Each structure stands twice: as C-alpha cells, then as structure tokens.
Amino acid sequence: MAKIVVMYKNKIVKEVAIGPQGIKIGRDLSNDIQIDNVAVSRFHAEIYRQNYPFYIEDKKSTNGVCLNGAVINFKRALSHNDKIMIGKHTLVFVEEPKDGLGGKQQPDINETLCLSPDDLARLREQN
C-alpha cells in the first residue's frame, strides 16, 4: 500500500492512503489533501498510478511542485521516500514493501508496462 505523509515544519500532519483513483492535492475542499495556504493553487497536483509506477503531476499550479528539490513541469515517477514540496508543506511518498520485493509489486505477465526514462536508467543500473 502506498501513502502520502503530509508534514509541516517537520511534524506529521496526516497520512493519506493512495487509492485506485489516486489523490488530488490543493487548496480547494474537494481535494484529498487540502492545504490551506495562499502559495497552494486550488487544484495544485495529482498523484496516481499508471500500471506499476506512481506519478506526481503538477496541474498547472501557480507556484509549482518540487520533487526532491527540483521543480517539475510534467509528470514524474515516484520512488519510496521521495519528498514533494507544495507551498510550505512536505509530502513524503511511502511505498510499503509487499511480497518481500521492497515495495515493488510483481507485474502481471500479461500487463503492458510504460517505463519512463528514469525507470529505464534505474533498470540499467541494477543490471
């Protein structure tokens, strides 16, 4: 199970499990993670799963999304313990281990996988 740990000033505010529909982040009350801060857009970002990897995507927010200290302008694959900065909040992506695979689920043999350039680089490093 994957989740987001929402932190403010190094204190955990809440934890939100990422369901099959993903989670939406922003200032609007309809978001799964609602951050009441003027630096956060009404519909700021979204985290979702596409086959195996989870992705974060900036939804054209005013102040952007930082992933591990770098501003992202399009969707990026997430890895365990990635730190997402939205406004003054830090969101930590946590992927709990399953089946002894260190958080990675075994893909279905009949499933088509879409690999990002980051995924390909990680695969090359492992082999």
Side-chain angles (χ1 to χ4, degrees):
M1 178 173 116
K3 65 182 175 181
I4 295 295
V5 178
V6 181
M7 302 179 73
Y8 181 73
K9 294 186 178 181
N10 294 322
K11 293 184 180 172
I12 295 174
V13 176
K14 67 178 165 179
E15 295 183 8
V16 179
I18 303 173
Q21 301 301 317
I23 58 173
K24 294 180 174 147
I25 305 157
R27 206 174 63 240
D28 192 88
L29 293 174
S30 67
N31 289 292
D32 302 297
I33 297 177
Q34 194 261 336
I35 301 174
D36 188 18
N37 183 288
V38 294
V40 179
S41 296
R42 288 180 55 228
F43 303 101
H44 202 101
E46 186 173 357
I47 297 173
Y48 55 90
R49 186 176 187 164
Q50 224 175 23
N51 294 319
Y52 168 68
F54 284 90
Y55 290 92
I56 182 155
E57 184 175 345
D58 185 344
K59 302 307 272 183
K60 299 181 182 171
S61 65
T62 302
N63 294 310
V65 173
C66 287
L67 176 62
N68 299 321
V71 176
I72 62 168
N73 296 319
F74 46 88
K75 76 178 182 179
R76 284 290 182 93
L78 292 171
S79 297
H80 178 67
N81 275 338
D82 274 350
K83 290 178 180 41
I84 303 157
M85 290 292 300
I86 295 181
K88 296 181 179 182
H89 287 71
T90 301
L91 287 68
V92 181
F93 175 73
V94 177
E95 193 167 17
E96 296 174 357
K98 286 189 176 184
D99 302 322
L101 297 172
K104 296 185 178 178
Q105 291 181 331
Q106 190 75 323
D108 181 343
I109 195 162
N110 296 315
E111 182 179 11
T112 300
L113 296 177
C114 297
L115 299 175
S116 71
D118 292 340
D119 294 331
L120 289 172
R122 272 188 244 134
L123 285 171
R124 288 184 182 122
E125 288 173 9
Q126 290 175 357
N127 294 325

